[in-house]
Amino acid sequence: MALPLPKGQLFQISHRILPADYEMPSLEIASDHYSIGYHISGDRTIITPNSIFTQHPGNVSTLAPYIYHRTVPASNEVYESILVKFSPLFVKPLTDQFGEQILDQIYARTTNRFPVHMQAVIYNYFTKLLEEYDRKSPYGNFKLQCILCELLLTILEYRLPEEDSNSSDTPLTLPIMEAVYYMETHYAENLTIERVAGISSYSVAYFSRLFKKQLGKSYSEYLSYIRIKNVSRLLLNTDRSITEIAIETGYQYPGNLSAAFRQKTGLSPQQYRKQRKDLSN
């Protein structure tokens, strides 16, 4: 269970700096608040029943109550964010004006990206909320309401289309969410389907059918997706050799990595690294 709002409070904000390898110890669910977070540094993979996505610096997460979720590290950078929790009563001016469905529209997604020219604007809303919260002004609650309502509308108006997300028409059950979490954190090991099925306490045959039904990918396809995702990250963000990256991402031989990577991207790992670095220069 996610920590609730402090008794008697309708709004809370915190600036969090956590180790790069921080992992939520278990699945969490909020019962009394919406949350919205600005991602400052450290890529994170977020697992929810309806989507699995990677959150990058400059992104904003929006999570409604009663949604199970869990995050895992997706880079070696310090995890820094500003997290806001609020009761629906706190944004009553917004819902009075636009109806209760406005929150459903905003929270229809769990991750939000923005054009470059809007990223500083979005970040400024979060820093203003943090500053006002710390000031303890007699007018603070009203000012916080105004800033938060404006932020929520700005997110709805300026966010870009979704990407880098695995959405599922069939919501993930808790055992499958735990299996995905285990795969995301142990992909570099010899991760057999028998081992992961055991995490869910299912037989291999039943686990295989359920996994494919809920994820839309077979177990081996999804494991390959996770590994290739991490290969891409290491190719772009480190100078490690292909052999080193193969070992770090669960491939026994560099040739296996290269074949899987070319099948997925149409490029060899070396070509991918050079092409992306040329584009960024």
Side-chain angles (χ1 to χ4, degrees):
M1 182 71 70
L3 288 175
L5 287 166
K7 188 174 181 179
Q9 290 190 33
L10 301 179
F11 177 93
Q12 186 182 49
I13 184 169
S14 58
H15 179 195
R16 308 183 300 170
I17 302 177
L18 299 167
D21 60 356
Y22 169 76
E23 297 177 11
M24 289 172 61
S26 62
L27 288 167
E28 291 188 356
I29 186 170
S31 61
D32 68 340
H33 64 267
Y34 287 79
S35 66
I36 176 170
Y38 184 87
H39 208 79
I40 298 172
S41 70
D43 300 322
R44 307 290 296 178
T45 294
I46 302 179
I47 304 165
T48 74
N50 295 311
S51 63
I52 301 165
F53 58 92
T54 302
Q55 193 85 327
H56 304 289
N59 293 169
V60 170
S61 60
T62 40
L63 200 64
Y66 303 107
I67 302 292
Y68 275 103
H69 62 283
R70 195 169 189 180
T71 73
V72 296
S75 75
N76 296 322
E77 297 178 3
V78 170
Y79 176 30
E80 182 177 5
S81 67
I82 299 174
L83 177 65
V84 172
K85 298 178 179 181
F86 65 91
S87 162
L89 290 175
F90 195 74
V91 291
K92 196 169 183 299
L94 179 69
T95 52
D96 282 350
Q97 179 67 33
F98 297 103
E100 298 287 342
Q101 69 274 10
I102 191 71
L103 287 179
D104 295 334
Q105 288 179 257
I106 295 165
Y107 281 82
R109 295 189 198 169
T110 44
T111 188
N112 305 272
R113 301 178 306 112
F114 303 93
V116 174
H117 74 279
M118 286 301 298
Q119 290 178 7
V121 174
I122 299 294
Y123 178 63
N124 189 50
Y125 279 116
F126 281 89
T127 56
K128 284 170 66 178
L129 285 168
L130 197 57
E131 290 166 4
E132 191 58 47
Y133 187 75
D134 289 339
R135 282 184 65 227
K136 309 298 182 186
S137 160
Y139 314 108
N141 262 7
F142 179 73
K143 294 173 74 173
L144 288 168
Q145 280 182 305
C146 293
I147 299 167
L148 179 58
C149 289
E150 189 173 349
L151 168 60
L152 292 171
L153 290 176
T154 301
I155 288 170
L156 184 60
E157 188 173 2
Y158 287 98
R159 65 188 176 190
L160 295 171
E162 288 184 283
E163 68 169 19
D164 193 23
S165 173
N166 277 288
S167 298
S168 174
D169 292 332
T170 304
L172 305 186
T173 55
L174 298 188
I176 296 299
M177 288 181 70
E178 290 286 11
V180 170
Y181 169 81
Y182 192 81
M183 293 170 72
E184 290 278 359
T185 53
H186 293 78
Y187 63 86
E189 302 170 12
N190 180 25
L191 208 57
T192 64
I193 189 171
E194 289 82 5
R195 180 174 164 186
V196 180
I199 299 297
S200 304
S201 299
Y202 292 143
S203 70
V204 171
Y206 183 71
F207 173 80
S208 181
R209 291 196 300 272
L210 199 60
F211 192 95
K212 178 69 179 288
K213 180 180 179 181
Q214 295 186 19
L215 270 296
K217 292 182 175 72
S218 69
Y219 172 80
S220 60
E221 287 171 336
Y222 196 80
L223 179 58
S224 178
Y225 160 77
I226 294 172
R227 285 176 169 164
I228 294 298
K229 176 181 67 173
N230 283 280
V231 168
S232 301
R233 172 179 61 83
L234 292 170
L235 286 169
L236 298 183
N237 298 321
T238 75
D239 293 321
R240 294 187 183 105
S241 69
I242 304 305
T243 298
E244 290 172 321
I245 291 175
I247 293 169
E248 191 168 336
T249 54
Y251 291 96
Q252 289 185 313
Y253 306 103
N256 293 348
L257 182 157
S258 296
F261 195 86
R262 186 182 288 276
Q263 184 179 29
K264 181 70 174 178
T265 67
L267 300 170
S268 71
Q270 295 91 335
Q271 289 170 332
Y272 179 86
R273 174 180 267 170
K274 183 178 186 304
Q275 185 184 88
R276 290 302 181 95
K277 288 191 174 180
D278 287 345
L279 288 172
S280 64
N281 292 335

